Amino acid sequence: MIFASDNWAGASPKVAEALRDCCAGTRSAYGGDDDTKRLEGILSDLFEREVAFFAVTTGTAANALALAAFTPRWGAVLSHAQAHIQVDECGAPEFFTGAKLIGLPGARAKIAPPTLVDALAELPAGVVHHVQPSIVSITNATELGTVYRPDEIRAIADVAHGRGLALHMDGARFSNALVRIGCTPADLTWKAGVDVLSFGATKNGCLMAEGVVLFDLSKKDALGYLRKRGAQLLSKHRIATAQYEAWLDGGHWLALASHANAMADRLATGIAASSGARIAWTPEANEVFAFITPETDARLKAAGAHYYEWSTVGLAPEDGPRDGEIMIRLIASFATDPADVDRFVSLLG
Amino acid sequence: MIFASDNWAGASPKVAEALRDCCAGTRSAYGGDDDTKRLEGILSDLFEREVAFFAVTTGTAANALALAAFTPRWGAVLSHAQAHIQVDECGAPEFFTGAKLIGLPGARAKIAPPTLVDALAELPAGVVHHVQPSIVSITNATELGTVYRPDEIRAIADVAHGRGLALHMDGARFSNALVRIGCTPADLTWKAGVDVLSFGATKNGCLMAEGVVLFDLSKKDALGYLRKRGAQLLSKHRIATAQYEAWLDGGHWLALASHANAMADRLATGIAASSGARIAWTPEANEVFAFITPETDARLKAAGAHYYEWSTVGLAPEDGPRDGEIMIRLIASFATDPADVDRFVSLLG
Amino acid sequence: MIFASDNWAGASPKVAEALRDCCAGTRSAYGGDDDTKRLEGILSDLFEREVAFFAVTTGTAANALALAAFTPRWGAVLSHAQAHIQVDECGAPEFFTGAKLIGLPGARAKIAPPTLVDALAELPAGVVHHVQPSIVSITNATELGTVYRPDEIRAIADVAHGRGLALHMDGARFSNALVRIGCTPADLTWKAGVDVLSFGATKNGCLMAEGVVLFDLSKKDALGYLRKRGAQLLSKHRIATAQYEAWLDGGHWLALASHANAMADRLATGIAASSGARIAWTPEANEVFAFITPETDARLKAAGAHYYEWSTVGLAPEDGPRDGEIMIRLIASFATDPADVDRFVSLLG
Amino acid sequence: MIFASDNWAGASPKVAEALRDCCAGTRSAYGGDDDTKRLEGILSDLFEREVAFFAVTTGTAANALALAAFTPRWGAVLSHAQAHIQVDECGAPEFFTGAKLIGLPGARAKIAPPTLVDALAELPAGVVHHVQPSIVSITNATELGTVYRPDEIRAIADVAHGRGLALHMDGARFSNALVRIGCTPADLTWKAGVDVLSFGATKNGCLMAEGVVLFDLSKKDALGYLRKRGAQLLSKHRIATAQYEAWLDGGHWLALASHANAMADRLATGIAASSGARIAWTPEANEVFAFITPETDARLKAAGAHYYEWSTVGLAPEDGPRDGEIMIRLIASFATDPADVDRFVSLLG
């Protein structure tokens, strides 16, 4: 009963085979090979426009480099205060950008456009005393398992672009958001105003496949240099391209994400029906947040369940814990076994 | 006839199988798994003492992080002027350390201890106007295919340690140096005074396996934070550990390096015997440097040979080109086919 | 009627004479002169213990360097969200530390110890995903003209030190806080747990005299290198030492601050008694915050009054504006003329 | 007999009076005052074109910020290996630019255009493995007291601009070079291809007056933010403007520099005529380099002479020391007394 993280899963058999198979033969190093070029074509087709693609090795690298490409040294990155870039990357975004990160409040890890408007008003253009906002970053699906729809993204993009800022999407769980909404990758990104996407595949069926999809091609050269200077240019680049290609092939990635989401729904339904726990809010991707008592917590762990207790800082009062409850995060992955879900639920009483 | 780089090769079949096999099952993320602990034990056995190991994803990352762990913001890294960290990492070492890199001259890419003594004398301790030397970095095997022996390393270490500096070894081709010398990994590193090693496996049979072997355990915590902040902490850490474990198992890595070195020797012998080319110096690892005429260059390329012309800047006059010659670099790998070597040599006339 | 900033004033005649007089004669450069040594002695006497002193040229530099000396690259600086280091230094603290700044809420620009406890709980020690808190920064007097008393500082210091963090005080208006409280400089700093102080003199009677007073002498070497690398080591160091010495001589600095505070009190009393404005809270240093209507604002400006409208973001509801009011900041300085204060008040109606 | 540095002198009486006089009265802070605007006009007149001017507080700051404005994070700054930015700024240029500094050889601290051509050839455009050259920095007068003439600058500018690089001049001793050559400030800067100048006044009669003169106005906004983020924006900006204005007024700066140069010439003539010392090369500014024996060194010091022994690293053989000699640097300033020069010379024997 592993619900600790989608990072605890491995890779799908299809991706695993691709990893092995790509080891044979000779290819130009550092992404100068035909496979890399072909992958860029596949991604351009997928996103229905020309994109530039920069494979990197971690989600943190994808985020930090994407932000750096759009941020001068005196810039500022605005995101939700609970975003991964704010909380879980040990200062990598500050390191790669040299700039300031500003955290915004917002219910269930989402930014509301008026909040962004207010934050920007505090940082007037042209005043040298203040950092100058350069990019907004949203996470989709969010750290709390909620999802931005295209119209919500467009509203944020309009605020950002209106002030000359770019819009970044941290898509560590992009697949999970996408299959939940049921729109196209283009709808969820550049058509809604996204300028650059961290397109994560690791959490959803690859071992290590992260990359930056650049819709604003004016930053292509910058990102190339930043990636190398950031120690993120793979010499045997095939290790990234082979995973991505197998993962995207034939909608494999969407099937994997659909399974993960379905397992999250199964968890949520079971929890909602139980007497020993309650869900915090309806999951929209593959993450379920629930409230349990310390007694239930002890019982679950004794039975071998793995999950993390989660901070309730910043939650709206109506989303928060009641007397004595703790909040836990449960993540389903492409590899989650429905039997594990059912066993977990059965332990809730 | 691919002699462009050992990065053009893939991974050995044994490593390829390990990559595939590690994809199954569930493991703690971010290196908190048993495999990672086991690998650290294997490395401690290999180096005959307790070491800390930090897997990263590129050789540039290994170097930059190793240097950063030993360098204050006002520090200085001293290395040969032609070192990879000076020339081929797009400023990553400056970025990760925040410090200054100082390049030293030296025949065939090796630093002589008196050169180091002189350079340190120009940077007296305690004078705030100057950066303060913090670490010396040597590359073994070097960028020119030469090798430092343990006694040579000890002589450099004594100078460095005498001034309070640490000693780093860029071991992107550590295996090749090791099998050429025929000593133990311990002899070539900490027993000779090395404090931290970039232990590269990618160039010699893995797809992506790089890491920092720390002999000075006082830097362990620092390196852990620096790795994460540097966007180099793999979530599905198994992708690194599985490769390393298969590669080290049963001396596989030594066999791979021995083959590469043998192919370099075969190349050098052939070139020396040819009338159309001459070797620059006797290769000591898997890199061969040779002088050819433009006509020969054209003929080789027309026949499908891949290699790079190489800069002769900084070479001693006796090592340099004669009338009209160009210098080329030929690299053999674990996968080099002797038939390719022989065909290449036959084209030299 | 200049109440825009204490930075709009010049220097006291005594400081002005000292500036002129120090121009004559020859002195060792870069702080190697006897005057600098003597000043360090004066400061050690003033603070009743041995201190190290580093003159710099701006308050931003004093803050950024003080923080950098105590912060590893993966560190975090915690301060009030409205602190100068967060809002008004264009990212200099991030630049000099390479770390993350975390802003805390708190009434009237002061941090309450429980808020700090909660924030630290979100950043557990030893977890590489999170930046590691390294230093807490408080501002005294604060950006909202309030003051921390020694027991309040001690309570914050205890939380910080209990977790291994240092405590920094941004003392851009240290003099104003000190004369208000009526304690000794030692009481307000190291005796209350402060490890490093930005000791500002510019706002209170000098033209440019800023410096870092270091109580934790273990950081002395680091600060020396950081100052030079930060481009803050004055060659003709006398320009700083001469101002400080004249300013500290015979309690001159305390007299200047007392005047500024008295003028702030006179402003506040007048505002409180007026029908056209109300004070936001009782001023504790030389800054007065008041609410006025747009009509009053227009009338004041037409009459030649200079002051800034101030953001009300983060204010407690009871401290905030009522219908249609705007908040303004009025700052008195050592040079403020009581007649200007009275004229300003008379314009309020 | 102080010949240690022009930084050991104070300020001229005229500048001293200006410093005192500027202390009175009220002015907008942070350079928003009329004086600052007026100074920019004076500088535009002086340089015969519109310039932007950014006062800072140290020469290191002027250099580091000027370079940063023209250098992307993956950039490279090329200068002579003995330049102040390479040797004497404790890594500040690396810190402010985030980029790499590359040192070039050259006789008597000057870069020859072919050396620059060769260095650029090693760093081909568009190759992500290498830092990308962004700016060339020359020092005038140089660290060895030599001077670049306008045609020499033009030749370097043509190489730099031909590759898309900017040209920076470190003018810590710009006045001394200017009066030696006898051309206009425009001739020595933008008319010869200089894009940005560190225009130092501290060494030549001010206490602290350094600034960046920007000829390429496209970098104006960037430099404004970089200055504030670099902790170099003075709040009471008058301390810089008042010194510059007095110093430039009526050719005062040129008279000061002429005196310093004349004293250097007097030193050089005396040394050349002595039997106990020899000049290294004819001084072209206010710095004299000479060779003396250890015995003479001891005698001079015993008599109270102050000067520094200087490194001979990188000197051409014909410029270097002969048996047993040491090289010393003697600097004359605006305040040097001819009697001191004569006494020094008389001690040489």
Side-chain angles (χ1 to χ4, degrees), chain B residues 169-308:
Chain B
M169 182 180 284
D170 177 353
R173 295 189 180 94
F174 182 78
S175 335
N176 304 95
L178 189 74
V179 299
R180 176 70 66 179
I181 298 169
C183 65
T184 68
D187 287 337
L188 202 55
T189 56
W190 65 273
K191 286 187 175 175
V194 173
D195 299 291
V196 59
L197 170 71
S198 296
F199 187 29
T202 307
K203 285 181 159 65
N204 183 35
C206 291
L207 264 200
M208 184 204 80
E210 301 288 333
V212 178
V213 176
L214 198 56
F215 302 112
D216 176 351
L217 297 178
S218 72
K219 302 295 183 187
K220 188 170 175 176
D221 285 354
L223 206 40
Y225 293 116
L226 288 171
R227 177 172 61 167
K228 176 65 189 181
R229 175 184 182 252
Q232 284 288 336
L233 179 57
L234 288 160
S235 55
K236 298 184 177 176
H237 206 249
R238 61 180 91 177
I239 196 170
T241 46
Q243 289 181 77
Y244 265 111
E245 194 166 347
W247 184 70
L248 291 170
D249 178 60
H252 182 50
W253 65 305
L254 302 174
L256 296 170
S258 294
H259 176 81
N261 287 4
M263 291 301 100
D265 291 350
R266 189 173 183 125
L267 262 173
T269 303
I271 292 166
S274 77
S275 58
R278 62 185 183 93
I279 59 167
W281 45 81
T282 304
E284 299 187 292
N286 62 323
E287 300 176 284
V288 179
F289 290 81
F291 291 103
I292 59 175
T293 61
E295 295 72 36
T296 305
D297 183 48
R299 188 169 65 249
L300 288 165
K301 284 179 176 152
H306 287 270
Y307 51 81
Y308 288 113

Side-chain angles (χ1 to χ4, degrees), chain A residues 7-11 17 20 23 26-27 30 57-58 88 90 92 95 202 206-207 228-229 231-232 235-236 238, chain B residues 7-11 17 20 23 26-27 30 57-58 88 90 92 95 202 206-207 228-229 231-232 236 238:
Chain A
N7 283 330
W8 288 42
E17 293 297 322
R20 185 195 52 186
C23 291
T26 302
R27 284 179 182 78
Y30 297 112
T57 64
T58 64
D88 288 305
C90 197
F95 174 44
T202 306
C206 291
L207 264 201
K228 176 65 190 181
R229 176 183 181 254
Q232 284 288 336
S235 55
K236 297 185 176 175
R238 61 179 91 177
Chain B
N7 282 328
W8 288 42
E17 293 297 321
R20 184 195 55 185
C23 290
T26 304
R27 283 180 183 79
Y30 297 113
T57 64
T58 65
D88 288 305
C90 197
F95 174 45
T202 307
C206 291
L207 264 200
K228 176 65 189 181
R229 175 184 182 252
Q232 284 288 336
K236 298 184 177 176
R238 61 180 91 177

Side-chain angles (χ1 to χ4, degrees), chain A residues 112-271:
Chain A
T115 305
L116 182 58
V117 169
D118 289 350
L120 291 173
E122 295 288 306
L123 297 166
V127 178
V128 296
H129 303 282
H130 307 316
V131 288
Q132 296 293 303
S134 48
I135 191 164
V136 174
S137 178
I138 57 175
T139 310
N140 209 15
T142 74
E143 285 74 15
L144 293 184
T146 52
V147 164
Y148 286 97
R149 265 86 192 168
D151 59 332
E152 296 174 294
I153 298 166
R154 168 51 65 195
I156 290 171
D158 286 349
V159 175
H161 294 163
R163 175 72 185 270
L165 282 69
L167 180 60
H168 167 250
M169 181 179 284
D170 176 354
R173 295 188 180 94
F174 182 78
S175 334
N176 303 95
L178 189 75
V179 298
R180 177 70 67 178
I181 299 169
C183 66
T184 68
D187 287 337
L188 201 56
T189 55
W190 65 273
K191 285 186 175 174
V194 173
D195 299 292
V196 59
L197 169 71
S198 296
F199 187 30
T202 306
K203 286 180 159 65
N204 183 35
C206 291
L207 264 201
M208 185 205 78
E210 301 289 332
V212 178
V213 176
L214 198 56
F215 302 113
D216 175 351
L217 298 178
S218 72
K219 303 295 183 186
K220 189 171 176 175
D221 285 354
L223 207 40
Y225 293 115
L226 288 171
R227 178 172 60 167
K228 176 65 190 181
R229 176 183 181 254
Q232 284 288 336
L233 178 59
L234 288 160
S235 55
K236 297 185 176 175
H237 207 249
R238 61 179 91 177
I239 195 170
T241 47
Q243 290 181 77
Y244 265 111
E245 194 165 348
W247 184 71
L248 291 170
D249 178 59
H252 183 49
W253 65 305
L254 302 175
L256 296 169
S258 295
H259 176 81
N261 286 5
M263 291 301 100
D265 291 350
R266 189 174 183 126
L267 262 173
T269 303
I271 290 166

